[in-house]
Amino acid sequence: MAYNQDIDLPAGRYILVVHDFNKPPVLVNYEIPFPTTVTENTGTTAWIKFSNFLYESEGIPTNLKLQYQFQYTVDNATGQKSEWLNLGKPVSFGESTGWEPVVVNKTVENSAGTARIDYRIRLIGPDGSDQGNLTLAGSTAGSVVEYSDWWNAQIGRIYHHCFAGYRFSTPTVSVKQFGVQ
């Protein structure tokens, strides 16, 4: 048997995150009811929950607070992007934001509404100061890069972005995105 941990599961809707075979799983509350928006014609919002399961190396969770940020296209004709916006508050290892709204500026007017959203992560110091972009192992041996990613989001959808892996060794860190029903 690879994993044997006891846990009391409270009432409600949760996801169990197994991040270490020697420790109990972390419960991420799905905060029912999910956020909604009522519109006459179309909406402009999707919701993201960000969870931090970054390890510095095997068995060593990060002691860094991470601020997940997003950027969206403001003007589809020019490609102008918004400023970087915080997605919730900074989170420590094993913590998650709430369901945070992101702007979805759809590119096809008569559609369900999908758009690209860019993401980055800022490091937050113990004093609350911004310490710059998160760096991690790149795809080339020995390289270090700033974390950045993008995902398509659809109006009215709810997504969980689970940031997990090792910062400077394999398996390297990445975001696992899954939609919530």
Side-chain angles (χ1 to χ4, degrees):
M1 181 179 298
Y3 187 70
N4 185 8
Q5 295 287 323
D6 291 328
I7 186 168
D8 290 327
L9 189 58
R13 190 165 179 183
Y14 295 84
I15 184 170
L16 297 168
V17 179
V18 176
H19 61 91
D20 185 323
F21 286 143
N22 298 312
K23 296 179 182 172
V26 172
L27 292 172
V28 177
N29 186 343
Y30 262 34
E31 304 172 52
I32 303 290
F34 293 134
T36 60
T37 187
V38 177
T39 63
E40 192 169 310
N41 296 311
T42 188
T44 58
T45 307
W47 288 268
I48 308 288
K49 179 185 285 278
F50 174 75
S51 295
N52 173 7
F53 290 97
L54 174 65
Y55 278 84
E56 293 296 330
S57 60
E58 186 174 345
I60 303 174
T62 189
N63 62 357
L64 303 169
K65 277 198 165 191
L66 305 182
Q67 176 65 67
Y68 204 42
Q69 293 185 325
F70 74 98
Q71 184 181 55
Y72 66 95
T73 303
V74 174
D75 186 323
N76 291 326
T78 66
Q80 177 189 353
K81 299 277 190 172
S82 70
E83 297 295 321
W84 286 101
L85 303 166
N86 289 341
L87 194 135
K89 295 186 187 289
V91 291
S92 298
F93 182 87
E95 294 181 340
S96 301
T97 65
W99 294 116
E100 305 298 335
V102 296
V103 176
V104 179
N105 181 8
K106 66 183 182 177
T107 56
V108 177
E109 203 54 41
N110 189 15
S111 71
T114 300
R116 173 184 166 141
I117 310 293
D118 296 314
Y119 297 94
R120 73 177 184 183
I121 297 174
R122 305 290 287 178
L123 299 175
I124 305 303
D127 63 353
S129 64
D130 186 320
Q131 305 289 314
N133 288 327
L134 173 69
T135 57
L136 42 85
S139 58
T140 307
S143 68
V144 175
V145 298
E146 291 182 351
Y147 172 82
S148 65
D149 202 355
W150 66 272
W151 293 90
N152 284 329
Q154 191 168 26
I155 291 170
R157 294 293 310 258
I158 300 169
Y159 303 95
H160 186 175
H161 286 192
C162 190
F163 190 64
Y166 299 140
R167 187 170 177 200
F168 292 113
S169 59
T170 57
T172 56
V173 69
S174 65
V175 166
K176 283 73 171 169
Q177 173 181 279
F178 46 95
V180 178
Q181 302 294 323

